[in-house]
Amino acid sequence: MSLSPSELRLVRVALAQLALSALLVGVLASFAPRTFYDSFPFLTHWVDLLPPYNAHLTTDVGGLQLAFGVLFAYGAGRPSRGLVTPVCAAWALSQSLHLVFHLSHLERFGLADAIAQIVTLVAVALVLPAIPLVVLRRADARSGNAPR
């Protein structure tokens, strides 16, 4: 992977942000599922607006988030096309489906919470994972290499 220092930094920052987001959700949902359900994202509460509470589902989601967080953290430290491309694509897919669910279940949310939730989900589902993918594609185009 032939990236300029600024491109490499951008890829690492995006992956680190994704890792932090996934690990925060993953730790809380895995080890304090009731707190996650009742209080996430802390300044307000969104999860409990979509009842009912299910500890098994919540801890399963937490485990999935933790797994992605580990992959993103590893990718931020040692970015490689073989890891960055599939993990960002898989995350974008799973989080896009999550976004679609939330877009169709806003009836219990106040306007400010609905907007904040959707903006946050778009940023995490689509914008952050797109950054490393776009940077890699541009580096390939610049070097004349086809993506692998």
Side-chain angles (χ1 to χ4, degrees), residues 29-91:
S30 293
F31 299 106
R34 189 73 214 200
T35 299
F36 174 80
Y37 180 82
D38 290 338
S39 303
F40 190 81
F42 304 119
L43 300 177
T44 184
H45 53 93
W46 296 339
V47 180
D48 70 342
L49 295 175
L50 301 167
Y53 172 70
N54 181 315
H56 176 211
L57 178 61
T58 303
T59 56
D60 284 355
V61 168
L64 175 68
Q65 294 280 326
L66 285 172
F68 267 110
V70 167
L71 291 170
F72 285 131
Y74 184 84
R78 298 184 61 136
S80 69
R81 176 178 306 289
L83 173 61
V84 171
T85 300
V87 77
C88 285
W91 178 261

Side-chain angles (χ1 to χ4, degrees), residues 122-139:
V122 166
V124 173
L126 303 174
V127 175
L128 280 175
I131 291 170
L133 298 175
V134 168
V135 169
L136 291 174
R137 183 166 291 281
R138 286 184 180 165

